[in-house]
């Protein structure tokens, strides 16, 4: 579902008051990282909320510190400002335990100046005493103050009732998206500081997420919807994935977990590699995570504009080195680009659309049978290796069928001998399927189902 017109609700507040905990509570899943360290959330994170038969979009923002001149806090303030401008309703989260602070005074003035409807959520109100003390936040002049506990869910229903009432009174129209095409989910992954956020901003054409030279700026997996004439995309910018043992802070460790979870819900992954630093073992590990998740993969070599003394064969040599370190991704296309200058960035979305079409491709049974007769039924007649090691096993490949898509999965039925297709035969089969049916940029799965005959003339045992 989506809403026509303005139906955005933004969660704002100073650092460490529980904004992300409330965000996760309202959307019903752990999308934003939550921890005791202030400033964990830095970018705008979007989610969908369903309550009392209505749906609306929710934005989580980083903790606002208006007078902080440091790079990241200043960018957090900028991102929160964009969210405030976009939203129709603001949920201002304050800390009932800490009471009113000087920073709350400054934020109250900022929110009043916005002219938006403000609902005050006095968080961490998990006792009667704190509930009575939350009334002091009425002093800021906002009509609605809700004592809540985001962690326990206390008072959240009343807050949502008021949000829905405001949206309905504003005449927000809810549109059913089931008739529209499915969104293509795209994850941008890579190690820290390779330009993931810069690439996302370049694709979107706006400063959607914070970009800074500080490695590890992005911590949450951030969803952004991009609508184009060809397709609707859901872009997921993820935190940089570090090597095990290199993640010290709790938030950094959670970032790696969240990035890997983002791959599990993605259709296509852009694996971003640094052209200047070259391909590392960590790049290969990250690409392996994407393969394990079943994503289609585009390898994007970023910062190509910064490579010195390029010649005609520089790109080909770089790709050969990349293929050598990522032998398991021989089927993934490689594109050299620059998120900073925009060089060849426009070629990425067409590649992604083609990859998504391939991962959803289902081969008609007649075509698969014809392929089986030519490539499998008589393997000795061609260049195919034997199904089993050494070719001495009586293992026989009977037929092939497609069991699923996203990624395409094929079941090979075998009989006789010992089960277990040799890896060289599986590789041959995968390569032939990819060539025959144009499974571009997409991993394929092979599952063997073996029928063993217990004795001559007996029925096969499954």
């Amino acid at each position: 579902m989506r809403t026509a017109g303005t139906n955005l609700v933004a969660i704002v507040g100073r650092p460490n008051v529980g904004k992300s905990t409330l965000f996760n509570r309202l959307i019903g899943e752990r999308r934003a990282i939550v921890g005791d360290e202030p400033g964990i959330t830095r970018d705008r994170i979007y989610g969908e909320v369903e309550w009392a038969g209505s749906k609306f979009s929710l934005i989580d923002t980083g903790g606002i510190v208006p007078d902080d001149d440091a790079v990241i806090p200043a960018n957090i303030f900028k991102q929160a400002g964009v969210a405030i401008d976009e939203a129709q309703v603001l949920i201002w989260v304050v800390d009932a335990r800490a009471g009113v602070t000087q920073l709350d005074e400054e934020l109250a003035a900022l929110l009043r100046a916005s002219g938006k409807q403000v609902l005050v959520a006095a968080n961490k109100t998990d006792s009667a005493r704190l509930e009575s003390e939350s009334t002091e936040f009425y002093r800021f002049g906002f009509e609605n103050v809700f004592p809540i506990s985001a962690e326990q869910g206390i008072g959240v229903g009343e807050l949502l009732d008021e949000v829905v009432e405001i949206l309905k009174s504003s005449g927000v129209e809810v549109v059913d998206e089931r008739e529209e095409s499915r969104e293509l989910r795209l994850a941008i992954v890579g190690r820290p500081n390779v330009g993931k956020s810069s690439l996302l901003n370049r694709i979107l054409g706006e400063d959607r997420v914070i970009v800074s030279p500080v490695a590890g700026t992005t911590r949450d997996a951030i969803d952004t919807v991009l609508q184009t004439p060809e397709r609707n995309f859901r872009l997921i910018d993820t935190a940089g994935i570090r090597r095990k043992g290199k993640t010290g802070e709790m938030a950094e460790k959670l970032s790696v977990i969240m990035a890997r979870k983002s791959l599990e819900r993605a259709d296509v992954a852009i694996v971003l590699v640094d052209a200047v630093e070259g391909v590392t073992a960590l790049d290969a590990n990250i690409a392996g995570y994407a393969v394990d998740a079943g994503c289609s993969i585009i390898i994007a070599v970023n910062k190509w504009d910064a490579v010195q003394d390029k010649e005609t064969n520089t790109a080909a040599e770089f790709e050969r080195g990349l293929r050598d370190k990522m032998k398991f991704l021989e089927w993934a296309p490689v594109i050299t680009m620059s998120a900073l200058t925009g060089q060849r960035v426009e070629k990425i979305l067409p590649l992604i659309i083609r990859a998504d079409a391939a991962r959803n491709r289902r081969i008609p049974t007649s075509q698969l049978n014809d392929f089986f007769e030519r490539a499998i039924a008589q393997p000795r007649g061609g260049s195919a290796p034997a199904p089993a090691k050494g070719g001495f096993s009586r293992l026989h490949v009977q037929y092939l069928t497609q069991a699923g898509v996203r990624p395409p999965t094929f079941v090979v039925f075998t009989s006789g001998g010992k089960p277990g297709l040799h890896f060289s035969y599986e590789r041959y089969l995968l390569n032939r399927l990819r060539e025959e049916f144009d499974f571009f940029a997409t991993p394929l799965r092979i599952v063997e189902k073996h029928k063993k005959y217990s004795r001559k003339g007996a029925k096969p045992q499954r």
Side-chain angles (χ1 to χ4, degrees), residues 281-324:
L282 182 55
D283 291 322
N285 288 340
I286 292 169
Y289 296 151
V291 172
D292 291 342
C295 297
S296 298
I297 296 175
I298 309 292
I299 303 174
V301 183
N302 192 27
K303 306 181 186 179
W304 194 249
D305 58 310
V307 175
Q308 300 296 320
D309 303 322
K310 288 192 289 289
E311 297 179 359
T312 305
N313 62 339
T314 301
E317 289 180 356
F318 189 97
E319 182 173 343
R320 276 196 294 270
L322 184 150
R323 298 289 187 194
D324 186 59

Side-chain angles (χ1 to χ4, degrees), residues 81-132:
V82 173
I84 291 171
D85 290 340
E86 289 182 350
Q88 182 179 6
V89 180
L90 305 177
I91 298 177
W92 177 26
V93 183
V94 295
D95 189 334
R97 293 178 186 172
V100 175
T101 67
Q102 178 60 38
L103 188 51
D104 289 326
E105 298 275 4
E106 296 177 26
L107 288 177
L110 178 70
L111 296 177
R112 277 195 296 269
S114 72
K116 301 294 178 70
Q117 182 80 42
V118 177
L119 304 179
V120 182
N123 193 27
K124 306 180 184 179
T125 307
D126 44 18
S127 70
R129 179 183 63 81
L130 289 171
E131 184 173 345
S132 62

